């Protein structure tokens, strides 16, 4: 029997500029869990997802129009995009629902387990990104750094008498697994679909589902409009779902997913630092230890071993 040729997937070594840009994206993503938690004080989870990604679609679509990128689907693209949109839909729903049940700190640590899942799925489906001992060690060290950073805030969920925080933790961990899967599926699909077209259609296919589920399951829920909530919503919509999604998807088209995704272990560190700068939270020894471990993990993953 004749063997089917594996599709070629670009997975170049990230350059210094790409690493710096990815770290900048990680810093911006650091405010995402905090902004979601802030928005959930005024909006229900599914309604928030719809509004957030509607703003993201406006941002991405406007930029694609400005760049003159065709958004017309080609033969065979719809099936791939439906798969990606389904993963995207489930990942966002589980993140918002789980974050609503647990604390922002706990949500941050469990969603940021996704580089483990990314590395595992990449090992299975991207031939040039097999797991190695240094890569596995680096990812593990970086994740220990994340745990060390938020450890002082973890006790709250375990003392919850109703156990809702633990349920929220599990839901957010499932979201982390789906996010890792989404990164790898995006990496494969973006080889044949322009990043802007991919994002626009992923958002367009997901929006009616978010709206329909919100109308069915959140009927009677309160939608409040406060200055803080609106600011947090626009941050999620235009900065994260717009600018960050565009930049990250474009980077994934060319560079190694498993090597770059470890940089996003810096996201919770950035979240803690942003909380200090914006809300006056105390900087602790755990942040310094966690930062050192994350930096060591990033180094181990990206060093060029002989």
């Amino acid at each position: 029997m004749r063997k089917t040729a594996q599709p070629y997937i670009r997975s170049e070594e990230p350059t210094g500029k790409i690493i710096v840009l990815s770290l900048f994206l990680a810093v911006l993503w650091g405010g995402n869990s905090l902004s979601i938690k802030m928005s959930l004080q005024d909006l229900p989870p599914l309604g928030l997802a719809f509004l957030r990604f509607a703003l993201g679609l406006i941002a991405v679509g406007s930029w694609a129009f400005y760049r003159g990128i065709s958004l017309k689907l080609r033969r065979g693209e719809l099936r791939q995009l439906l798969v990606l949109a389904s993963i995207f839909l489930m990942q966002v729903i589980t993140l918002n629902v789980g974050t609503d049940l647990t604390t922002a700190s706990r949500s941050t640590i469990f969603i940021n387990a996704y580089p483990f899942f990314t590395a595992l799925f990449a090992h299975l489906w991207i031939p040039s990104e097999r797991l190695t001992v240094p890569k596995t060690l680096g990812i593990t060290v970086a994740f220990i750094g994340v745990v060390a950073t938020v450890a002082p805030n973890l006790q709250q969920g375990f003392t919850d008498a109703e156990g809702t925080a633990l349920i929220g933790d599990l839901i957010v961990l499932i979201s982390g697994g789906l996010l890792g899967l989404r990164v790898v599926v995006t990496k494969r699909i973006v080889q044949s679909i322009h990043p802007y077209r991919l994002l626009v259609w992923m958002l367009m296919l997901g929006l009616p589902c978010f709206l329909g589920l919100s109308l069915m399951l959140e009927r009677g829920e309160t939608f409040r409009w406060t200055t803080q909530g609106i600011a947090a919503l626009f941050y999620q919509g235009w900065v994260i779902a717009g600018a960050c999604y565009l930049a990250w998807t474009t980077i994934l088209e060319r560079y190694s997913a498993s090597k770059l995704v470890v940089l996003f272990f810096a996201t919770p560190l950035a979240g803690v630092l942003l909380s200090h700068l914006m809300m006056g939270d105390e900087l602790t020894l755990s942040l310094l230890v966690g930062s050192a471990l994350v930096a060591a993990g990033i180094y181990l993953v990206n060093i060029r071993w002989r």
Side-chain angles (χ1 to χ4, degrees), residues 37 45 47 54 58 63 67 69-71 83 89 101 105 107 166 190 201 217 269 287 294 298 303:
K37 194 67 178 177
I58 292 170
W63 186 246
R67 294 290 305 273
I69 304 298
S70 172
L71 300 179
V83 172
L89 181 71
L101 294 174
S105 297
S107 173
L166 292 174
V190 81
W201 279 93
L217 303 176
L269 305 184
L287 175 63
V294 169
I298 291 171
I303 188 174

Side-chain angles (χ1 to χ4, degrees), residues 8-89:
Y8 173 69
I9 301 175
R10 295 178 71 182
S11 291
E12 298 179 16
E13 292 283 337
T15 64
K17 289 181 180 179
I18 294 300
I19 289 174
V20 170
L21 175 57
S22 298
L23 279 172
F24 178 64
L25 296 178
V27 170
L28 292 177
W29 250 298
N32 196 41
S33 287
L34 180 60
S35 66
I36 288 174
K37 194 67 178 177
M38 290 167 60
S39 295
L40 287 171
Q41 296 174 13
D42 300 323
L43 303 168
L46 296 171
L48 171 62
F50 171 75
L51 293 171
R52 170 189 175 185
F53 293 112
L55 290 173
L57 178 60
I58 292 170
V60 175
S62 299
W63 186 246
F65 179 78
Y66 173 75
R67 294 290 305 273
I69 304 298
S70 172
L71 300 179
K72 184 178 179 181
L73 287 180
R74 298 171 184 171
R75 177 184 288 271
E77 291 184 347
L78 181 59
R79 181 178 58 83
Q80 298 179 75
L81 290 168
L82 284 171
V83 172
L84 181 61
S86 299
I87 298 170
F88 166 69
L89 181 71

Side-chain angles (χ1 to χ4, degrees), residues 224-279:
R224 295 187 304 164
W225 303 104
T226 64
T227 303
Q228 174 182 283
I230 292 172
L233 176 61
F234 274 87
Y235 181 84
Q236 296 165 58
W238 284 356
V239 177
I240 303 300
C244 287
Y245 273 28
L246 270 177
W248 179 231
T249 304
T250 304
I251 289 170
L252 278 179
E253 180 185 11
R254 180 172 177 180
Y255 296 99
S256 168
S258 58
K259 286 204 166 188
L260 283 171
V261 79
V262 73
L263 299 171
F264 286 83
F265 276 127
T267 294
L269 305 184
V272 173
L273 184 59
L274 288 171
S275 296
H276 168 71
L277 295 174
M278 298 175 63
M279 304 178 69

Side-chain angles (χ1 to χ4, degrees), residues 95-128:
L95 175 60
N96 281 18
V97 171
T99 300
D100 197 31
L101 294 174
T102 188
T103 64
S105 297
R106 298 178 70 83
S107 173
T108 297
I109 190 171
F110 286 109
I111 192 63
N112 280 287
Y114 82 91
F116 280 111
F117 297 105
T118 301
L120 175 61
F121 291 130
H123 175 80
L124 296 173
W125 293 331
I126 302 178
S128 59

